[in-house]
Amino acid sequence: MRLLWLLATLVALTSAGIVKDPPKERYDNFRVYKLTIQNKIQLAVIEKIGELTKKYNIWKEYDERSRQIDIMVSPGELNHFQELLKFNNISSELMIENVQERIDEEQVTPTADSATFGWTKYYELEEIEAWLDEILNAYPLVTEEFIVGQSYEGRTIRGIKISHKAGNPGIFIESNIHAREWITSASATWFINQLLTSEDADVRSLADNYDWHIIPVFNVDGFEYSHKKDRMWRKTRQPHATNACIGADANRNFDSYWLQNNGASSNPCSETFAGDNPGSEPEAKALVEYLTKIQDQISVYISFHSYGQYLLSPYGHTKEEFPENYNDILTIGKAFADAIEALPYGTVYQYGSTADVLYVATGTSVDWVFNELGKKIGYTIEYRDKGRYGFILPPVQIIPNCEELMVGMLALIEKTKELGYL
Ligand code: 0X9
Ligand code: ZN
């Protein structure tokens, strides 16, 4: 009876607008530092504080090559953090002084663009989906919607297939598996638009001679949450049974070396939490089922991420071993990176296996496709930049980033074909 009263009061308060949803997360005076690590003790210290998820947030995990790690620090923790750096002799570079300012700047959009969908601002899920519907309507002969499945919160994970003729080899693009990496869905929609509208001969041939399967926003719940509640959200939104922390890293939830070799975390509060078991996240499970079903139609798999400017390939689980076709994988990677560097922006991409050039990551989608579906060509693209803006890449950089994607893709596909994989 008492419970009933409590419930009734709660309903009354909610409808009166007294009990509200928690407000949008703010990042006033949160800073982002790039740290350079010199030894294991320093790394252990930073990884330990990285687990204090209320105070810190790892933006970019430690990578052995650069010996760097990017970490966001809350204002209340700043003094302690600075003492810690000093005490442990860790050198640091301040990348972002006030994360909230960057977020606010990101929202400022040119008014001229507000009526039509474009690539000078970032859009919310609803807007992206409405645009997708328009595209499907405008190009009914060459496009088709596909449905991967449902997210934890019941959203539909949608994709678009673009096919200009029967019998084309297939290229699969999965984007925005990490919610806060907004540049990835902006690039995916731009790329879709180019495949359908570009008059450039090279782009036309890319559109005509391959079937494109593209998911612009894979982590739909996380993406929505990153717009509405917390700009820095990365994971899925499924609550954990025994813990207050929500979500798992969908890109650690696939059944390929799952939770092995320290390539993911078993701590539900970590940004790289692998989930309770492979496929525990409905999104990852749905993608596995969908890809298994259409595997014969796919030759190349690409996953869009940010940031760091890398083209990463398998393996993610070890740097002691490499795939048997690693030379080809590197040749294709070089073609991609060279093409991008040749543009006037001069942006430099590093390429190589995930474990070798970045860090050990297990249970990722690309590695699952490579190892379990036996696909020979799979890459992760980590877009701009190298930490100046990190995840909050200013809207003016969307189109330059996309131009880089296109020349990179043209070179990648051409080389992949030349080497006999397409
Ligand atoms: O850690 C990740 O999941 C990716 N980096 S990110 O900063 N965007 O989170 C890299 C994933 C590497 N991919 C594969 N091994 N397939
Ligand atoms: Zn990512």
Side-chain angles (χ1 to χ4, degrees):
M1 193 62 190
R2 194 178 286 167
L3 195 71
L4 215 66
W5 266 112
L6 203 71
L7 219 66
T9 322
L10 206 66
V11 169
L13 288 175
T14 314
S15 50
I18 295 164
V19 176
K20 285 215 182 82
D21 266 3
K24 203 168 179 174
E25 206 71 51
R26 288 192 60 89
Y27 288 95
D28 298 289
N29 300 312
F30 279 64
R31 290 184 167 189
V32 180
Y33 285 92
K34 192 179 280 293
L35 309 178
T36 304
I37 303 292
Q38 279 146 352
N39 57 52
K40 283 198 171 134
I41 298 171
Q42 292 181 341
L43 183 61
V45 168
I46 298 303
E47 285 187 334
K48 202 76 216 151
I49 62 167
E51 285 175 16
L52 307 169
T53 48
K54 293 261 178 299
K55 299 169 175 166
Y56 295 94
N57 186 287
I58 305 269
W59 274 31
K60 195 168 175 297
E61 281 183 75
Y62 175 67
D63 87 82
E64 274 181 19
R65 274 214 183 163
S66 68
R67 299 188 150 269
Q68 287 170 337
I69 185 163
D70 294 357
I71 188 165
M72 179 169 74
V73 186
S74 66
E77 200 57 18
L78 202 59
N79 282 340
H80 179 233
F81 177 71
Q82 275 159 346
E83 275 169 27
L84 199 91
L85 293 187
K86 212 164 147 196
F87 185 77
N88 289 283
N89 202 16
I90 299 173
S91 56
S92 67
E93 184 187 350
L94 179 62
M95 303 301 283
I96 301 180
E97 205 177 340
N98 184 345
V99 171
Q100 188 60 45
E101 269 178 16
R102 292 274 167 274
I103 294 174
D104 294 343
E105 277 167 23
E106 184 185 45
Q107 303 299 343
V108 177
T109 53
T111 43
D113 214 39
S114 57
T116 52
F117 196 88
W119 287 272
T120 52
K121 63 171 273 195
Y122 293 105
Y123 292 93
E124 302 204 8
L125 184 63
E126 208 184 328
E127 297 168 301
I128 294 176
E129 298 217 352
W131 175 82
L132 199 64
D133 287 331
E134 275 173 36
I135 287 288
L136 290 161
N137 268 326
Y139 301 92
L141 300 179
V142 292
T143 68
E144 189 187 325
E145 178 185 35
F146 66 88
I147 301 215
V148 178
Q150 305 297 120
S151 69
Y152 172 74
E153 289 176 345
R155 294 188 177 82
T156 301
I157 305 167
R158 305 169 68 194
I160 180 171
K161 180 177 171 190
I162 303 175
S163 175
H164 282 81
K165 62 176 155 64
N168 277 340
I171 299 165
F172 200 100
I173 295 178
E174 152 242 298
S175 173
N176 236 157
I177 190 170
H178 289 144
R180 61 190 174 186
E181 298 167 12
W182 287 4
I183 184 60
T184 61
S185 46
S187 303
T189 52
W190 183 89
F191 194 76
I192 292 166
N193 191 54
Q194 286 294 304
L195 290 176
L196 294 168
T197 64
S198 172
E199 287 169 10
D200 178 277
D202 293 334
V203 179
R204 287 272 36 93
S205 129
L206 213 55
D208 292 343
N209 298 314
Y210 302 95
D211 281 1
W212 296 87
H213 307 246
I214 304 176
I215 307 171
V217 182
F218 174 66
N219 180 2
V220 277
D221 293 354
F223 184 69
E224 176 73 359
Y225 195 79
S226 73
H227 273 275
K228 297 273 162 58
K229 294 288 177 193
D230 183 352
R231 177 65 187 86
M232 298 332 297
W233 194 259
R234 166 182 169 100
K235 299 190 280 182
T236 59
R237 290 293 304 164
Q238 177 168 242
H240 196 264
T242 63
N243 196 289
C245 286
I246 289 180
D249 185 345
N251 206 32
R252 298 291 184 281
N253 195 235
F254 292 81
D255 198 1
S256 176
Y257 298 90
W258 183 80
L259 203 50
Q260 293 181 39
N261 306 356
N262 282 319
S265 173
S266 55
N267 171 5
C269 297
S270 161
E271 292 290 14
T272 54
F273 175 49
D276 283 328
N277 43 62
S280 62
E281 304 315 289
E283 299 81 3
K285 184 167 180 280
L287 186 57
V288 162
E289 281 164 12
Y290 184 73
L291 288 170
T292 305
K293 203 170 72 193
I294 63 146
Q295 57 180 303
D296 294 343
Q297 301 174 40
I298 304 296
S299 304
V300 172
Y301 190 92
I302 296 177
S303 177
F304 288 178
H305 287 254
S306 75
Y307 57 94
Q309 294 166 206
Y310 300 100
L311 182 72
L312 304 168
S313 57
Y315 300 131
H317 71 279
T318 178
K319 57 174 189 155
E320 313 306 327
E321 275 175 63
F322 296 90
E324 48 84 21
N325 64 335
Y326 193 54
N327 276 339
D328 287 349
I329 290 174
L330 288 180
T331 305
I332 297 164
K334 182 175 177 353
F336 175 90
D338 286 351
I340 292 177
E341 201 177 341
L343 286 182
Y345 310 115
T347 306
V348 176
Y349 270 71
Q350 274 175 271
Y351 57 92
S353 89
T354 299
D356 195 31
V357 305
L358 197 61
Y359 44 69
V360 173
T362 54
T364 65
S365 61
V366 175
D367 282 41
W368 180 81
V369 169
F370 193 88
N371 295 325
E372 305 305 317
L373 291 185
K375 301 297 166 190
K376 294 284 172 209
I377 301 296
Y379 290 100
T380 299
I381 306 178
E382 295 275 0
Y383 288 120
R384 291 182 181 203
D385 55 14
K386 292 196 78 70
R388 167 88 175 77
Y389 294 97
F391 301 115
I392 320 166
L393 193 71
V396 292
Q397 290 200 44
I398 298 174
I399 290 173
N401 186 74
C402 290
E403 290 167 0
E404 290 172 347
L405 165 66
M406 185 53 90
V407 297
M409 277 297 251
L410 285 166
L412 183 151
I413 298 302
E414 189 187 34
K415 197 50 92 182
T416 304
K417 185 174 165 50
E418 199 181 300
L419 292 173
Y421 294 96
L422 282 169

